Amino acid sequence: MRTFAIAASVAALALSLAGPASADPIIIKFSHVVATDTPKGKGAEKFKELAEKYTAGKVKVEVYPNSTLYKDKEELEALQLGSVQMLAPSNSKFGPLGIREFEVFDLPYILPDLKTLRKVTEGPLGTRLLKLLDAKGITGLAYWDNGFKQMSANKKLVTPADYQGVKFRIQSSRVLQAQFKALSSLPQVMAFSEVYQALQTGVVDGQENTWSNIYTQKMHEVQKYITETNHGYIGYVVIVNKKFWDDLPADIRDQLSKAMKEATEFGNTQSQKENDDALAEIKKSGKSEIIKLTAEQNEAMRKAMEPVYKDAAGRIGQPLIDEFVKEAKSTTN
């Protein structure tokens, strides 16, 4: 009996020296719909690395790429319900959610270059747009780049007339619908994960996307032509469930904000390189013919899309469009 008591005392002492059991880490499920080797994919992996490092393992980030957890149409609802904590949806996704102001990013030719984009997203205008997400139970953390879009199809797209009757896959966006209707095309909303097969089987004839998305999703293998238009921009807003974010301990939230800031700088620096590398690989593959427009052909495309601005003004608000245009002019002057 005495031996048992001594053993019990020794065991109790060992437990007291070991201290309390370490708490389970806070889990952040980060879901996105593109490949890991894209600007968004690499940004997500960098955030995971830095978040776990800066919180000393108190946070564990689980990244789910390529729609393995949720598809385009499901992810925002999943975030609002708390089934996933973090997403990086494209700007287009917020219009259907009722925050139409984000549709301004979809307007053709409104952002001429990355310098203009930075002025918007890193300035008071970008901050103001992020605050609009609060009412939907969402906290906006950062803007991530993908790049500028190109047009692809199984026919040459050179003049606006070439787009007539072409079935184009689009994201769910009233602006993008208006864009292709202005070209007399047939826009069809479709999840990103379904685009390759839809192109392969002829469900749609063409699509618009960045070089990195075209290459990593192998779209160039099922599209004969890609026209270098740089007509529109694809960017993402990194968002988190507001209640989850607000309930985090202040020190953890600060460390995650630091990780997000650095991951954003890393990802946005990478995006141009990823697109340049993807374009080079597409050219090397020889599977798609790259078409470059002349200045006159490019201007004809701009003119054909002018009605999109009028269509969007009623939903987005003319003052916001004017503010974007003003920023663009002040950057290029």
Side-chain angles (χ1 to χ4, degrees):
M1 193 71 181
R2 178 177 171 78
T3 304
F4 176 79
I6 293 171
S9 298
V10 170
L13 178 62
L15 282 172
S16 68
L17 290 173
S22 58
D24 291 336
I26 297 166
I27 303 295
I28 295 178
K29 292 181 180 179
F30 190 159
S31 174
H32 65 80
V33 302
V34 299
T36 302
D37 56 342
T38 57
K40 188 199 294 191
K42 290 189 175 182
E45 294 299 328
K46 176 59 73 171
F47 173 72
K48 169 184 169 65
E49 173 197 327
L50 295 174
E52 293 177 354
K53 173 185 172 184
Y54 291 153
T55 62
K58 292 177 184 174
V59 169
K60 182 183 178 186
V61 180
E62 298 175 354
V63 180
Y64 297 89
N66 259 334
S67 305
T68 51
L69 194 59
Y70 294 105
K71 293 185 178 180
D72 276 338
K73 296 175 183 176
E74 308 163 342
E75 60 177 13
L76 277 170
E77 184 181 3
L79 182 101
Q80 289 175 302
L81 292 173
S83 302
V84 62
Q85 288 72 46
M86 190 172 285
L87 305 172
S90 63
N91 295 307
S92 304
K93 301 289 175 51
F94 299 109
L97 196 64
I99 309 171
R100 297 183 181 90
E101 290 85 349
F102 278 90
E103 290 183 19
V104 71
F105 287 100
D106 287 338
L107 285 167
Y109 299 107
I110 197 165
L111 292 165
D113 51 43
L114 289 174
K115 185 179 178 183
T116 306
L117 172 70
R118 291 281 179 273
K119 193 168 182 185
V120 169
T121 57
E122 295 177 4
L125 178 52
T127 301
R128 200 167 80 233
L129 288 171
L130 290 183
K131 288 299 293 178
L132 297 175
L133 298 170
D134 289 358
K136 301 294 181 180
I138 297 169
T139 295
L141 298 179
Y143 291 94
W144 283 7
D145 288 349
N146 187 327
F148 289 94
K149 294 185 287 187
Q150 323 303 331
M151 298 284 199
S152 76
N154 283 323
K155 63 175 287 191
K156 289 187 177 183
L157 301 172
V158 180
T159 70
D162 296 329
Y163 288 79
Q164 186 170 352
V166 179
K167 292 180 290 183
F168 270 92
R169 175 268 172 176
I170 63 166
Q171 299 186 68
S172 181
S173 164
R174 294 277 296 276
V175 171
L176 297 181
Q177 283 183 332
Q179 171 185 289
F180 283 105
K181 284 181 178 177
L183 295 168
S184 299
S185 300
L186 304 171
Q188 186 170 329
V189 176
M190 184 179 294
F192 183 75
S193 58
E194 298 168 10
V195 179
Y196 175 86
Q197 187 173 8
L199 293 169
Q200 186 181 43
T201 57
V203 172
V204 292
D205 305 313
Q207 59 85 49
E208 56 168 11
N209 238 305
T210 60
W211 293 117
S212 63
N213 278 352
I214 292 170
Y215 178 67
T216 58
Q217 297 297 317
K218 303 184 187 302
M219 295 176 195
H220 64 294
E221 296 182 0
V222 288
Q223 296 277 265
K224 291 179 182 176
Y225 304 99
I226 305 173
T227 305
E228 193 168 0
T229 52
N230 293 311
H231 64 281
Y233 167 76
I234 294 183
Y236 311 111
V237 183
V238 186
I239 57 176
V240 65
N241 178 283
K242 188 174 190 305
K243 185 178 187 310
F244 170 81
W245 187 252
D246 291 346
D247 287 348
L248 288 172
D251 61 325
I252 295 288
R253 198 164 52 241
D254 288 346
Q255 295 303 327
L256 292 177
S257 295
K258 179 183 176 185
M260 180 56 66
K261 184 175 185 296
E262 292 182 21
T264 299
E265 290 168 357
F266 168 81
N268 287 350
T269 300
Q270 286 286 306
S271 65
Q272 187 60 54
K273 181 181 183 301
E274 294 294 319
N275 281 300
D276 290 344
D277 290 349
L279 172 57
E281 290 298 323
I282 291 169
K283 285 180 177 177
K284 192 192 300 182
S285 76
K287 294 182 182 294
S288 286
E289 181 183 334
I290 310 296
I291 300 168
K292 277 185 167 291
L293 299 180
T294 65
E296 292 77 13
Q297 290 165 341
N298 199 47
E299 185 57 31
M301 288 294 294
R302 286 174 178 269
K303 281 194 171 297
M305 293 187 190
E306 281 177 0
V308 181
Y309 282 69
K310 186 177 180 181
D311 177 83
R315 295 187 314 279
I316 299 172
Q318 190 62 48
L320 180 59
I321 294 174
D322 292 343
E323 199 170 349
F324 261 68
V325 171
K326 182 181 176 183
E327 290 288 5
K329 286 181 177 176
S330 67
T331 305
T332 53
N333 287 347

